[in-house]
Amino acid sequence: MRKSRRFMFTLLVILLMVSSVPLPATAYQNPQTLPDEWGQYGLGDPYVLKFNGYYYLYVSTRDTDDGVKVWSSKDLVNWSYRGLAATDPITHGAYAPEVVYWNGMFYMYTSPAGKGHYVLSSTSPTGPFNVVTGNLGKSIDGNVFIDDDGSFSFYHAAQGRIDAAPMSSPTEIGVSASTGVGMGGWTEGSTVFKRNGKYYMTYTGNHVFSKGYRVDVAVSTTGPRSGYVTDSTNPVLIRTEGPTVGLGHNTVVTGPNLDTHYMMYHNLEGNGIIGPLRHLNMDRIVWNNDKMIVQGPTSTDQPNPEMPVFYDYFDRTAIGSNWSNVNGGNWGIYNQELMWQNSMGSSTWYKQVTASSSASDYTAEFNMKEMNRGTSTNPRYGATFSYTNENNYGVALISSKNKRLETFFRINGVDQAWQTFDLPADFNYSKWHNIRIEKSGSTFKYYVDGMFKATRTANVGAGKIGVLTEDTHADFGYTAFSNDVNGSSAWNASKPIPGTIEAVHYMKGGEGVAYHDTTAGNLGGAYRTDAGDIRLNNEGLFNLGWNQTGEWYKYKVNVESSGYYDIDFRMATSLDGAQIRVWDGSTDLTGIVNVPNTGGWDNWKNISKKKVYLNAGQRELKVEFVTGEADFSRMTFQKNADVTSVSDNFNDGDDNGWTRFEGTWAVENGEYSAGSTGPAKSTFGDTGWADYTVEADIKMIDSGGDGGLLVRVSNPSHGTERGQNNYDALQGYYAYLTTSGVSLGKMNYNWALLKSNAQSYSTNTWYHMKVAVNGTNIKVYVDDMVTPKIDYTDNSLNPFTHGKIGVRTANKHTHFDNVSVTP
């Protein structure tokens, strides 16, 4: 991966004028309290619908009450209470109401007190919703997904899994079958969405009153109801200790900038008067290739979601100077909520185009409906984009007469071929519909009501957007564009620290501003079109490659609090002598960090730099390649805590400082004892501990089961409370003894055996175990403190590099004594 010919070049940065003033870029903080929440119940199981530029939030109903509350927002932060969307007695204790829009009707799915599902409908997202079905069963937490062909699927909780059923209409649900997705224990709160041809299902596990409530994700490439594969880094959202715990039951929604996905979820505050008390949370989702990464949970100030470059709700009495008329027509504003054009009888394309222009890559959104159509061969209405003049533009038009989407380009005055795409047979053209255009390079993707319909290529670039009619009377609603597409908004977003930052998410701005690269063009040809050199690696992630002496990349970050952090850089190189360094402005944060030869360009390892002082707030960090060459995938920041020498021989008769979870624990005769039934764990220390050695004496009383030491423990929870049967309710490593040997495993709310060593150990006999963790290496000693029984390095994508210590057993009566930790 050596670079050859090198050229310096500078990208021209174009500053675009904003035609509509965005909302102030202030900060929000989780959890959020909204007006008119359910008293002592809050906001549980949040679901957010986006319609015509507005967001509508629905939440579970307090168990003692009727009705479904609804709020609306333009920006996902400032919410206005809109009253009860439904009041029918069937909504008594309505669980997890979700609303979808289809063909002019809003359909609400909810399970009152978990007693089967009902469907309610309304012509408005704020109601009133009326019951339109009987009890359809299907347990709780119904979720509806509409695929690109207009087919519906219904998802709901089942015992230990998520089931799904086909729907023949929005009110008819077929026979359910397992999706193959589940967490073993109770699984609920699924959300399904589609991105780049893949189906993503997020879902929540554990009991709603558990601090271990969490979100996982699974991905299918074969269909919406089967073929799901769980992500290896699950859970994607969890926190069991700290300011917010019990996180889950999420929905995923596209943010105001038309590009960023956000995860909306609740946190557990504790017991309310009636049921659990919960509140609303929101964190950004970013993407690296097809991997979904939740940048959270956060609980300090985060920048508000970005607004589009241009947006218009038509909430005024005149069209105004932000629009320019092309070719005439009779245009106006109705009720301060839409723009209309009603001239018919001509094949002229009457247009309104924006005064401002997009960048060369963008996402645009248009909302529209047909009020009347003329008698010509093909009356139609729709959107124009990449418009510079009447000789250069594209269009996406809806034809009610031919029941299809029609696309066309004119380039340098030459008309390109029309391409048409069928719309669903029951498509009601007199109702509101949404057209979405995603432009990346010369590729255009077309969506109608969220359904992917087409891809076209055309050599047109930046330009204005607009709306048009041909022999139709049409209304136009919320219209917007953003200079981001397919997740590119992550590049200029302020990534939260602590957290993980993808190397390819360096800033926008080009050569000398966002990065310095010594070759012209992207040598790897992947992901971005600037001169950063990017390839797809064997871990399924895009990474920066061919990084040479003197090159650098800048990253926008949002540091939670001032203090010391540890940084793990994920690097690969087949060469010796590579060095990197991190800057904050002119301040050298890390000094020289040596990157050893990892043994290959796809042999990824974590390279750590400890105790880096960061100042709080939004900052720009620069990663410099000082000498040599190495590939760079990502960097993870975690709070640092000094490891101090501590020990506990339990001779004082208590376990002060330890936190007990499952099992029966007692201090007996100066020994820490765990019972013999099920799992048992107790933890000690600080989650900011990184490298340390823990030692203990261990005596197995029973011949079955196992007992041993935990290291690098984070997010522990009670794995057996409220009917959960999760022996692995923590993130960390477990070194343990059985009568037949010593083993090391990895616990991530699931279990993976890493390595074993066959030995013979006796019951009622003390053994001395030592576990030394350094970087991603783990050594396990038993009695012989010189030669480890197990020497293992976790080079996986998600090694645990920080966390507490602990003691643990599984179905084994075990005693522990003389536990000590040293740096």
Side-chain angles (χ1 to χ4, degrees):
M1 287 197 176
R2 306 295 291 175
K3 284 186 178 177
S4 52
R5 302 168 61 194
R6 302 179 178 276
F7 304 92
M8 296 291 295
F9 92 74
T10 303
L11 295 178
L12 176 64
V13 180
I14 302 175
L15 299 177
L16 298 171
M17 293 186 64
V18 178
S19 64
S20 291
V21 179
L23 296 177
T26 53
Y28 77 93
Q29 182 176 341
N30 292 324
Q32 303 169 60
T33 300
L34 271 56
D36 295 286
E37 295 179 352
W38 291 107
Q40 288 300 306
Y41 191 79
L43 300 174
D45 309 323
Y47 181 80
V48 176
L49 167 74
K50 184 180 181 183
F51 175 75
N52 210 354
Y54 290 89
Y55 296 94
Y56 298 91
L57 168 67
Y58 309 86
V59 300
S60 284
T61 302
R62 189 169 56 191
D63 293 3
T64 54
D65 290 76
D66 297 344
V68 174
K69 292 191 172 188
V70 60
W71 292 258
S72 66
S73 173
K74 290 182 177 180
D75 60 4
L76 290 176
V77 174
N78 298 289
W79 294 93
S80 299
Y81 180 57
R82 303 295 298 275
L84 292 176
T87 58
D88 191 283
I90 204 65
T91 61
H92 185 83
Y95 285 1
E98 298 201 1
V99 176
V100 299
Y101 173 79
W102 183 252
N103 256 347
M105 191 66 70
F106 297 86
Y107 296 93
M108 178 184 291
Y109 304 83
T110 188
S111 177
K115 298 175 182 177
H117 276 89
Y118 294 82
V119 184
L120 299 83
S121 69
S122 174
T123 56
S124 167
T126 59
F129 282 84
N130 298 306
V131 179
V132 293
T133 70
N135 192 332
L136 302 176
K138 308 295 185 183
S139 183
I140 65 171
D141 292 358
N143 169 242
V144 172
F145 168 72
I146 305 172
D147 210 345
D148 296 332
D149 60 359
S151 62
F152 281 57
S153 295
F154 184 82
Y155 306 82
H156 59 92
Q159 187 57 50
R161 66 177 193 268
I162 299 296
D163 282 359
M167 301 177 69
S168 55
S169 77
T171 59
E172 297 173 294
I173 304 173
V175 177
S176 297
S178 174
T179 62
V181 172
M183 294 187 182
W186 185 250
T187 307
E188 60 188 16
S190 61
T191 292
V192 174
F193 62 98
K194 197 172 185 179
R195 180 180 183 271
N196 292 343
K198 294 187 176 183
Y199 302 88
Y200 291 81
M201 181 191 295
T202 61
Y203 51 100
T204 296
N206 219 322
H207 196 280
V208 68
F209 274 107
S210 171
K211 294 180 179 180
Y213 205 59
R214 63 198 183 279
V215 177
D216 281 5
V217 65
V219 185
S220 172
T221 59
T222 59
R225 299 190 297 273
S226 63
Y228 284 96
V229 177
T230 56
D231 191 273
S232 61
T233 60
N234 281 333
V236 295
L237 183 74
I238 186 171
R239 180 186 277 158
T240 71
E241 299 177 314
T244 55
V245 299
L247 314 180
H249 199 117
N250 74 282
T251 186
V252 174
V253 67
T254 303
N257 70 355
L258 314 180
D259 180 69
T260 303
H261 289 95
Y262 285 91
M263 180 172 283
M264 317 292 292
Y265 60 95
H266 71 236
N267 70 293
L268 177 67
E269 303 280 355
N271 291 327
I273 294 176
I274 302 295
L277 176 60
R278 298 162 292 182
H279 281 106
L280 180 67
N281 296 254
M282 171 178 69
D283 281 308
R284 179 188 292 266
I285 294 171
V286 298
W287 300 89
N288 187 337
N289 193 21
D290 293 325
K291 185 170 288 294
M292 187 182 94
I293 303 152
V294 181
Q295 293 192 314
T298 65
S299 51
T300 56
D301 284 354
Q302 303 299 317
N304 279 357
E306 302 93 344
M307 300 302 289
V309 172
F310 170 90
Y311 60 97
D312 199 339
Y313 290 90
F314 303 107
D315 47 356
R316 57 189 180 278
T317 58
I319 294 175
S321 60
N322 289 330
W323 294 87
S324 297
N325 178 262
V326 179
N327 298 333
N330 185 35
W331 295 86
I333 298 290
Y334 172 75
N335 201 32
Q336 299 185 38
E337 63 184 34
L338 59 85
M339 180 169 65
W340 52 264
Q341 195 293 123
N342 66 359
S343 289
M344 296 190 295
S346 170
S347 60
T348 301
W349 284 2
Y350 301 131
K351 300 176 184 175
Q352 289 282 351
V353 298
T354 58
S356 59
S357 294
S358 70
S360 58
D361 291 345
Y362 59 83
T363 301
E365 178 180 314
F366 311 85
N367 293 274
M368 61 195 69
K369 63 181 177 178
E370 183 179 74
M371 301 301 290
N372 196 7
R373 77 181 186 211
T375 58
S376 63
T377 303
N378 194 13
R380 47 197 172 181
Y381 59 103
T384 187
F385 45 87
S386 290
Y387 181 96
T388 55
N389 53 48
E390 283 294 272
N391 288 321
N392 293 277
Y393 59 85
V395 298
L397 304 178
I398 291 176
S399 169
S400 62
K401 192 168 185 177
N402 293 312
K403 302 182 184 304
R404 65 193 187 190
L405 174 72
E406 303 181 350
T407 67
F408 164 84
F409 287 95
R410 178 175 290 167
I411 302 175
N412 295 325
V414 178
D415 290 354
Q416 310 299 301
W418 282 91
Q419 292 184 13
T420 62
F421 308 92
D422 291 340
L423 294 172
D426 63 344
F427 205 75
N428 188 338
Y429 298 86
S430 68
K431 305 302 181 183
W432 284 110
H433 294 289
N434 174 279
I435 291 179
R436 176 182 171 94
I437 308 295
E438 297 176 358
K439 180 184 182 298
S440 180
S442 61
T443 300
F444 291 79
K445 291 184 177 181
Y446 302 81
Y447 300 79
V448 178
D449 292 349
M451 300 177 290
F452 174 63
K453 288 299 168 187
T455 298
R456 288 195 67 170
T457 58
N459 291 318
V460 294
K464 302 174 181 180
I465 68 167
V467 295
L468 65 89
T469 69
E470 178 185 347
D471 196 21
T472 55
H473 171 188
D475 290 348
F476 298 95
Y478 179 78
T479 304
F481 73 78
S482 169
N483 293 328
D484 284 298
V485 64
N486 202 25
S488 68
S489 53
W491 307 345
N492 260 17
S494 295
K495 294 84 173 166
I497 291 178
T500 296
I501 299 172
E502 304 301 305
V504 294
H505 289 171
Y506 56 89
M507 290 166 40
K508 299 178 182 180
E511 169 63 37
V513 176
Y515 62 85
H516 170 54
D517 185 89
T518 55
T519 58
N522 180 345
L523 292 185
Y527 189 59
R528 296 178 67 158
T529 58
D530 55 26
D533 301 321
I534 299 174
R535 70 180 179 100
L536 182 64
N537 64 35
N538 63 327
E539 294 186 319
L541 300 175
F542 292 115
N543 68 262
L544 291 174
W546 300 274
N547 300 298
Q548 299 288 305
T549 300
E551 296 184 346
W552 50 262
Y553 292 86
K554 280 187 178 181
Y555 300 87
K556 291 191 175 185
V557 302
N558 184 23
V559 181
E560 179 179 292
S561 58
S562 297
Y564 287 101
Y565 292 81
D566 297 338
I567 312 176
D568 291 327
F569 303 91
R570 193 147 184 85
M571 312 290 289
T573 180
S574 63
L575 304 174
D576 298 324
Q579 296 178 322
I580 60 173
R581 174 166 47 194
V582 180
W583 299 82
D584 181 351
S586 61
T587 301
D588 180 352
L589 296 178
T590 61
I592 297 296
V593 179
N594 293 313
V595 180
N597 188 329
T598 66
W601 296 107
D602 273 324
N603 192 16
W604 294 95
K605 294 184 179 179
N606 279 23
I607 311 302
S608 298
K609 177 63 179 178
K610 301 292 194 298
K611 296 201 73 170
V612 177
Y613 191 86
L614 300 178
N615 287 306
Q618 296 188 48
R619 320 195 67 78
E620 292 180 3
L621 303 185
K622 180 173 74 175
V623 178
E624 175 195 9
F625 292 85
V626 180
T627 58
E629 181 177 354
D631 277 19
F632 177 29
S633 177
R634 56 193 350 199
M635 51 185 168
T636 300
F637 294 76
Q638 300 185 70
K639 286 187 175 180
N640 171 277
D642 289 334
V643 180
T644 56
S645 297
V646 291
S647 61
D648 196 341
N649 59 18
F650 305 103
N651 288 339
D652 56 4
D654 61 47
D655 61 348
N656 290 341
W658 293 81
T659 301
R660 302 179 182 184
F661 291 89
E662 315 93 348
T664 304
W665 290 93
V667 176
E668 301 173 351
N669 301 318
E671 300 168 8
Y672 204 21
S673 171
S676 60
T677 302
K681 66 176 177 283
S682 184
T683 63
F684 181 91
D686 195 303
T687 54
W689 285 357
D691 298 339
Y692 53 79
T693 298
V694 57
E695 301 184 53
D697 296 324
I698 301 174
K699 180 168 63 175
M700 299 179 287
I701 308 300
D702 298 334
S703 58
D706 53 70
L709 298 179
L710 295 167
V711 292
R712 301 272 177 78
V713 176
S714 63
N715 290 312
S717 67
H718 197 303
T720 59
E721 65 181 345
R722 298 182 181 271
Q724 301 305 300
N725 190 29
N726 190 337
Y727 277 39
D728 309 309
L730 62 90
Q731 294 176 300
Y733 300 99
Y734 178 38
Y736 61 94
L737 298 178
T738 67
T739 54
S740 58
V742 57
S743 299
L744 176 68
K746 187 176 184 178
M747 305 170 75
N748 190 17
Y749 281 79
N750 54 27
W751 172 254
L753 179 64
L754 301 178
K755 198 170 185 179
S756 291
N757 187 332
Q759 301 283 322
S760 179
Y761 298 114
S762 302
T763 59
N764 296 302
T765 302
W766 286 105
Y767 296 97
H768 190 71
M769 176 179 278
K770 178 174 76 172
V771 183
V773 288
N774 183 25
T776 58
N777 179 255
I778 306 163
K779 292 182 173 66
V780 182
Y781 304 79
V782 181
D783 284 348
D784 178 359
M785 297 292 105
V786 176
T787 304
K789 294 291 190 295
I790 292 176
D791 188 340
Y792 184 84
T793 299
D794 187 356
N795 287 323
S796 69
L797 185 60
N798 62 325
F800 299 127
T801 59
H802 290 69
K804 306 176 184 182
I805 68 160
V807 291
R808 182 186 185 270
T809 68
N811 298 315
K812 179 185 282 292
H813 184 187
T814 307
H815 285 205
F816 301 88
D817 204 357
N818 301 314
V819 181
S820 66
V821 183
T822 54

